[in-house]
Amino acid sequence: MPTVPAPENLAQTLAALQAAGLERLDAQLLLLHVLGQPPHQRGWLLTHDTDLLSPERATVLKLLAQRRLSGEPLAYITGQKEFFGLMLQVDARVLVPRPDTETLVNWAREALAELPEKTHNSQPTRVLDLGTGSGAIALALKASQTALQVHAIDVSADALAVARANAQLLKLDVTCSQGAWLAGLSNNALKFDCIVSNPPYIASLDPHLAALTHEPLQALASGADGLDDLRLIIVQAPSHLKPGGWLLLEHGYDQAAAVRNLLSAAGFMQVQSRCDLAGIERCSGGQLNPTHTP
């Protein structure tokens, strides 16, 4: 394991971290964390590059750098990750929210914005986030439209503890419940305008799983082809959507066609996919027939 020498100032600290094998951004964020500065203050490091780093902080920084060099996600080390403008608390109980998942949030916002205007006495607009993990998707939707009634489900009690803590920290009212996908609804009679999910979608024997040892396996793998949970959600969703409601799903880089076929086979209309930041079809979804009756 490379060692990080205790340098004299912050500029030397960054140089030493990069010489030890850290990428520059990771080095900056770890240093800011140790110094108690917010992660968006990278410019602060430039204006304080001659400040001295205390031996105590240098020791802590060395330990954190070794954790990062061993492959532990940076968000687990710092305990936080920004998503859709929200600073979320994260740890090894949940997956680290990824920027590409913002594609799913944006699509859900568009779908909700296109709903017909509701009358004064109609039901509230409801969204359900399945497999919420840290609560990232549910909280992003609630923050962007506070009038939404947002529900979040996860089978993991540990994950729900993280989601609830984030909701409390951000002062966002999201109803959380535990269970396996739609079986976790506390009120089975509820119907939703939009159901969103970023479920496990990696094949159980995929060699990439070997590099993800720090993250919870149950949130990653889903059967021989990675589609087991997606199949189950697609079959269950129609009975919990309002007529004309949308089911929007994140999936693997090579699964868009398979997910579209599953959606079409389940009777969804306007089946389509959306690309992530790298131009890869990352999300697929469809609309329940407006004339659908359970």
Side-chain angles (χ1 to χ4, degrees):
M1 177 66 62
T3 60
V4 180
E8 295 181 357
N9 61 44
L10 302 189
Q12 292 171 318
T13 299
L14 285 174
L17 290 170
Q18 291 177 84
L22 286 181
E23 294 185 4
R24 180 172 178 79
L25 179 59
D26 284 356
Q28 291 174 325
L29 293 176
L30 280 180
L31 183 53
L32 286 169
H33 176 68
V34 168
L35 293 170
Q37 296 293 325
H40 61 270
Q41 291 282 15
R42 283 186 286 153
W44 183 92
L45 293 173
L46 294 175
T47 60
H48 292 77
D49 61 345
T50 59
D51 289 4
L52 297 180
L53 187 70
S54 71
E56 294 78 15
R57 284 177 167 167
T59 298
V60 172
L61 183 62
K62 177 180 178 179
L63 293 173
L64 298 186
Q66 288 173 340
R67 288 171 61 185
R68 183 70 188 110
L69 289 166
S70 72
E72 185 174 353
L74 182 69
Y76 291 168
I77 299 171
T78 63
Q80 58 185 7
K81 177 69 174 180
E82 185 176 354
F83 180 82
F84 217 81
L86 303 175
M87 188 57 71
L88 301 174
Q89 304 301 304
V90 297
D91 56 38
R93 293 174 290 177
V94 296
L95 295 182
V96 178
R98 300 184 312 122
D100 284 333
T101 301
E102 294 187 4
T103 301
L104 190 64
V105 175
N106 281 321
W107 192 357
R109 292 176 68 203
E110 290 176 23
L112 292 168
E114 292 171 2
L115 291 174
E117 285 212 23
K118 298 176 179 293
T119 64
H120 179 69
N121 294 321
S122 66
Q123 294 181 340
T125 302
R126 294 194 186 100
V127 178
L128 174 61
D129 176 22
L130 294 173
T132 195
S134 65
I137 296 170
L139 293 167
L141 289 170
K142 181 65 176 180
S144 65
Q145 190 174 334
T146 55
L148 283 178
Q149 192 177 100
V150 181
H151 296 249
I153 292 175
D154 205 291
V155 72
S156 165
D158 285 339
L160 280 177
V162 176
R164 288 188 175 112
N166 278 319
Q168 184 175 13
L169 184 68
L170 296 168
K171 295 180 172 58
L172 294 170
D173 183 16
V174 170
T175 300
C176 296
S177 57
Q178 185 179 2
W181 306 124
L182 285 143
L185 276 175
S186 54
N187 180 353
N188 201 48
L190 284 180
K191 304 287 185 181
F192 296 89
D193 296 277
C194 186
I195 297 176
V196 295
S197 183
N198 177 17
Y201 52 71
I202 300 177
S204 55
L205 297 180
D206 192 308
H208 293 96
L209 286 174
L212 301 173
T213 55
H214 293 279
E215 299 179 277
L217 180 62
Q218 68 175 4
L220 293 167
S222 184
D225 61 359
L227 294 171
D228 281 5
D229 290 304
L230 285 158
R231 287 190 187 94
L232 186 58
I233 292 168
I234 290 169
V235 168
Q236 291 181 345
S239 61
H240 297 279
L241 281 168
K242 297 177 186 177
W246 284 84
L247 174 62
L248 305 177
L249 304 163
E250 183 168 334
H251 49 68
Y253 72 96
D254 59 351
Q255 294 173 328
V259 174
R260 288 195 300 269
N261 288 338
L262 290 169
L263 288 163
S264 296
F268 283 92
M269 305 171 60
Q270 296 196 58
V271 172
Q272 57 193 278
S273 298
R274 295 285 179 94
C275 293
D276 62 17
L277 299 173
I280 297 168
E281 288 185 321
R282 181 63 63 180
C283 302
S284 296
Q287 185 180 32
L288 193 67
N289 192 318
T291 62
H292 174 84
T293 54

